[in-house]
Amino acid sequence: MSSTAHRSTPRTTGHPATRPVTRNATQAAARPAARTVLISGASIAGPALALWLHRYGFAPTVVERAPELRTGGYKVDIRGTAIEVCRRMGVLDEIRARSTDMRGGSYVDDAGRTIGELPADIFGGRVEEDDEIMRGELARILYDRTRGDVEYVFGDSIAALDEDTDGVTVIFDSGAVRRFDLVVGADGLHSNTRRLAFGPEERYKRHLGAYISIFTAPNHLGLDRWETYHALPGKLVCVYSSAGESDARNLFVFSSPELPHDPRDVAAQKRALADRFAGDGWEVPRLLGHAAGADDFYLDSMSLIEMDHWSRGRVVLLGDAAHCASPASGQGTGLALTGAYVLAGELARAGGDHTVAFARYERLMRPGVEQNQRMAEGFVGEMTVASKWKIALRMFMVRTLPKTPWKNLIAKKIRDGIQAAAHAVPLVDYPAPDAAGTPGRPTVAA
């Protein structure tokens, strides 16, 4: 194996379980059950999977390259199947309590004059129980729910994987060497686990022709649970402030062929954004000034990950690492939460037999994933309208929709497509962990 570069000593939290997993005789005779699971990535999918695996008696370890929990990011939607998944996780009430509580949004022209306003439910295509929360808030909820039962290793990453018939030997960047039954890559669009187990990212990533940038800045517009959009040919700018936030979040989207991208070169990313929006009006110059000094600046391509298979041997991918639908879908978080529920449930139902569980997991998830990816392809074009006359037509619709007698029909048509995608993955009922599934006596449900 190749040599690995040593990093600062990783920080470990939680308490890895040491007791054996108990299984029924039929399961034990069929195949030695997986028990120890390494999860790469501590954003949403990874901790959600860890929560479920612990309940089913597995011993998950989560490794995260960042030195601490990352709490930045944009607002994310919780809708459709993911609502019930969150309810079964026991975190839905916390999500409700930390909702963005957005009231609505407006489009403005170059001079900042309001063109039209729409309520939040139309902007977001939300119905009934659907909600919205800041990504960092959701990450904190999941981490707090699991850190007492799950081992977290921050400031480290997987350097190499060596699989044999009995498990996987993992070499970490820190130089540590450990042994696990299974490895799960929940490490996002640029998954390191996918690269190690399946090959280069270029084989699976399809650029959708646009980039997205997000960062925090002072709320100089005085927004209160409101989002303000400014559309330009091939570009979109949004500023919003959600409940409980004193600052504003800023979103820039622009059409572009694929650009050279080094995720570690944030200065180059900031220059690329400034160059793309140079000379634009409204609040853009001021926002770009905030971007230059932002310590949570993010810029990346709007891309899909398309793979023929999400598992290879004892390694499986989850969330964006397996099937990124891009931010344009609005469903990345929902798919991550639902995927974690399905993967853990199938491992439990199969008694830890990964060959059975991985196949079932993919069979259940793939049709819904592909539906959401198709939706994202269309929405990217809607976010980066190319011509002035098309933007003018959209602004006319935004201005007149609240006054038209058929506004509810139009709103319903918008919602129906989004809701169909949000419910595209069927909700499977898995056997609930019984009393033996407590931390004192871990079991794998049949």
Side-chain angles (χ1 to χ4, degrees), residues 93-406:
D93 287 346
E94 289 181 79
I95 290 172
R96 299 275 192 236
R98 303 186 198 185
S99 170
T100 60
D101 194 28
M102 300 298 290
R103 298 183 297 117
S106 56
Y107 276 88
V108 298
D109 61 17
D110 280 347
R113 294 183 294 259
T114 298
I115 298 170
E117 298 181 350
L118 292 172
D121 287 348
I122 292 181
F123 254 119
R126 287 187 286 276
V127 299
E128 300 172 353
E129 290 191 301
D130 293 1
D131 216 325
E132 187 179 63
I133 185 173
M134 299 303 297
R135 191 214 68 85
E137 291 284 348
L138 180 57
R140 172 61 64 182
I141 289 171
L142 296 175
Y143 175 66
D144 286 346
R145 279 298 183 104
T146 55
R147 63 179 177 173
D149 302 312
V150 172
E151 179 189 14
Y152 280 84
V153 181
F154 289 95
D156 209 353
S157 184
I158 300 173
L161 300 169
D162 185 10
E163 179 177 343
D164 55 42
T165 56
D166 298 323
V168 185
T169 299
V170 180
I171 301 177
F172 293 88
D173 282 354
S174 63
V177 180
R178 295 179 63 177
R179 182 86 171 161
F180 297 91
D181 294 319
L182 303 175
V183 174
V184 181
D187 40 0
L189 171 63
H190 303 295
S191 170
N192 178 54
T193 311
R194 186 183 61 235
R195 178 183 60 82
L196 291 170
F198 296 86
E201 178 179 294
E202 293 73 22
R203 294 180 186 174
Y204 312 108
K205 177 181 163 186
R206 179 157 65 90
H207 181 56
L208 295 180
Y211 280 78
I212 183 170
S213 178
I214 302 165
F215 57 92
T216 302
N219 184 12
H220 69 272
L221 295 177
L223 302 176
D224 175 22
R225 293 166 295 146
W226 194 266
E227 47 195 330
T228 301
Y229 289 85
H230 180 57
L232 298 155
K235 308 175 193 177
L236 182 67
V237 180
C238 174
V239 182
Y240 75 91
S241 182
S242 62
E245 296 250 326
S246 58
D247 289 329
R249 301 296 172 103
N250 303 271
L251 174 142
F252 284 67
V253 180
F254 60 95
S255 59
S256 171
E258 197 156 13
L259 303 171
H261 181 76
D262 181 351
R264 295 165 296 185
D265 193 347
V266 178
Q269 296 172 29
K270 290 180 178 180
R271 288 194 299 271
L273 182 69
D275 290 346
R276 190 70 177 95
F277 285 83
D280 289 329
W282 186 51
E283 297 287 334
V284 170
R286 188 170 185 177
L287 297 175
L288 290 175
H290 291 316
D295 58 9
D296 64 347
F297 183 89
Y298 168 88
L299 184 144
D300 210 338
S301 68
M302 302 270 250
S303 296
L304 304 181
I305 293 296
E306 299 171 313
M307 305 182 70
D308 291 336
H309 300 286
W310 301 337
S311 65
R312 177 169 292 173
R314 292 176 173 269
V315 180
V316 65
L317 302 176
L318 175 66
D320 281 357
H323 48 67
C324 181
S326 88
S329 72
Q331 279 293 107
T333 298
L335 290 172
L337 292 168
T338 304
Y341 169 80
V342 172
L343 178 56
E346 292 299 337
L347 279 167
R349 188 167 74 166
D353 185 340
H354 66 279
T355 61
V356 173
F358 290 175
R360 288 175 176 169
Y361 152 69
E362 185 168 338
R363 187 163 60 248
L364 284 167
M365 290 292 298
R366 185 173 286 277
V369 163
E370 292 177 349
Q371 182 173 338
N372 278 276
Q373 288 183 329
R374 290 193 298 270
M375 182 178 70
E377 291 185 75
F379 279 175
V380 166
E382 295 296 315
M383 298 173 75
T384 55
V385 177
S387 66
K388 288 184 177 181
W389 75 265
K390 287 184 178 180
I391 292 175
L393 178 61
R394 173 170 296 178
M395 295 305 100
F396 173 79
M397 294 175 64
V398 169
R399 184 172 60 251
T400 59
L401 179 61
K403 305 172 186 177
T404 59
W406 53 84

Side-chain angles (χ1 to χ4, degrees), residues 406-422:
W406 53 84
K407 63 181 179 182
N408 291 333
L409 290 175
I410 295 175
K412 182 178 182 300
K413 184 177 180 180
I414 295 171
R415 287 195 303 265
D416 284 351
I418 294 173
Q419 291 299 317

